[in-house]
Amino acid sequence: MTPQTAIRVDDIKKSFKDQHVLQGVSFDVPAGSIFALLGSNGAGKTTLVRILSTLLKADGGSATVHGFDVADRPADVRDSISLTGQFAAVDEVLTGRENLVLVAKLRHLPNPSAIADDLLDRFSLTDAGHRRAVTYSGGMRRRLDLAMSLIGTPPIIFLDEPTTGLDPQARIEVWQTIQELARGGTTVLLTTQYLDEAEHLADRIAILHRGTIIQNGTLTELKQLLPPAEVTYVEKQPSLEDVFLALVGEPAPPASTEINTVEIGTVEDGTAPDRKEHR
């Protein structure tokens, strides 16, 4: 384990009776990066996150988080991480600000009110801070949940399918928040079943299938596993997501890869039109 490695997973195994959920999972997560664990429902993503966050014991193998063995030093691991599950864990009776103050007090941090005000500003929730969380939209509730996760400035955050059930606009808000966390030096381990989410966010992607990692690499490295694409020229039609975001006034997420396109002029005199290449 080097100082540049935030999480190391080595041959982790876990079974529930005769169901073998994890069958020797291994990978490293560099510090300050976004690592996506991609897999379908039932692939074992949540089980692995529960092991890494000390909520579940592995049957075999080992794992270290922030330099601490999850089996031998679980208290140190819990002090180093924050876990955000598939559904926002906010108290709907309390206001957004009261939720943040409560968590700060539970962590025995000085000046909980100042911490709450700072996080409300950071996550663009200041105007809604006095409102009860039950009135928040899905995106606002998830941003509040992430803000609560940052109290105490944990160096590592586990996000277990953080955009499940969110509308396209709310998903983009959460994506932007996750990117800001990584830019600030936080290590993010993200589990998702959405291919576009992993492609848009992750520095590295591991594909978990039937309890094992079948591939692990950057997006570029994974694309190189396929034969070179044949170049064809097609008219790009807007997707339904493009239409939705245009109508509600939100920009679409930037493309994660560059695509060569060709502009073809109109044929008026029977000659072949000029082609202008763009990137």
Side-chain angles (χ1 to χ4, degrees), residues 175-195:
W175 286 2
Q176 292 170 340
T177 301
I178 293 171
Q179 290 172 321
E180 289 172 4
L181 292 177
R183 283 194 292 267
T186 303
T187 303
V188 179
L189 190 150
L190 165 77
T191 74
T192 184
Q193 57 181 315
Y194 300 129
L195 302 178

Side-chain angles (χ1 to χ4, degrees), residues 34-240:
I34 300 176
F35 186 92
L37 191 61
L38 181 64
S40 58
N41 283 333
K45 303 185 302 296
T46 297
T47 297
L48 181 59
V49 168
R50 293 184 65 195
I51 291 172
L52 294 177
S53 56
T54 74
L55 298 176
L56 193 65
K57 290 186 177 181
D59 296 334
S62 63
T64 51
V65 175
H66 200 53
F68 304 115
D69 188 283
V70 297
D72 296 337
R73 302 180 64 177
D76 291 321
V77 170
R78 288 192 289 270
D79 286 341
S80 305
I81 67 169
S82 184
L83 170 62
T84 299
Q86 296 181 21
F87 305 99
V90 301
D91 190 324
E92 295 183 344
V93 175
L94 302 179
T95 67
R97 189 176 188 277
E98 288 170 343
N99 269 282
L100 294 167
V101 169
L102 174 63
V103 174
K105 287 181 177 180
L106 290 173
R107 287 183 173 266
H108 306 289
L109 298 176
N111 207 347
S113 295
I115 292 173
D117 291 338
D118 176 67
L119 287 170
L120 287 172
D121 179 66
R122 179 175 175 183
F123 285 85
S124 303
L125 291 170
T126 299
D127 292 341
H130 66 285
R131 288 166 38 197
R132 291 171 59 189
V134 70
T135 68
Y136 284 15
S137 67
M140 293 171 64
R141 194 173 305 190
R142 178 55 86 184
R143 293 208 312 272
L144 176 61
D145 195 29
L146 290 171
M148 293 164 62
S149 299
L150 289 184
I151 292 176
T153 60
I156 298 171
I157 292 182
F158 296 116
L159 302 178
D160 191 12
E161 302 195 21
T163 62
T164 296
L166 297 185
D167 61 56
Q169 186 174 348
R171 287 183 75 205
I172 291 175
E173 292 175 358
V174 173
W175 286 2
Q176 292 170 340
T177 301
I178 293 171
Q179 290 172 321
E180 289 172 4
L181 292 177
R183 283 194 292 267
T186 303
T187 303
V188 179
L189 190 150
L190 165 77
T191 74
T192 184
Q193 57 181 315
Y194 300 129
L195 302 178
D196 61 332
E197 187 159 271
E199 184 173 1
H200 184 75
L201 291 176
D203 298 302
R204 294 188 67 84
I205 302 167
I207 300 175
L208 182 63
H209 182 64
R210 294 182 179 177
T212 61
I213 300 292
I214 58 175
Q215 286 295 340
N216 179 2
T218 65
L219 178 61
T220 300
E221 290 169 345
L222 294 180
K223 286 185 174 182
Q224 289 174 347
L225 297 173
L226 298 180
E230 294 184 4
V231 178
T232 57
Y233 298 102
V234 297
E235 181 181 353
K236 182 183 182 299
Q237 296 293 332
S239 67
L240 182 58

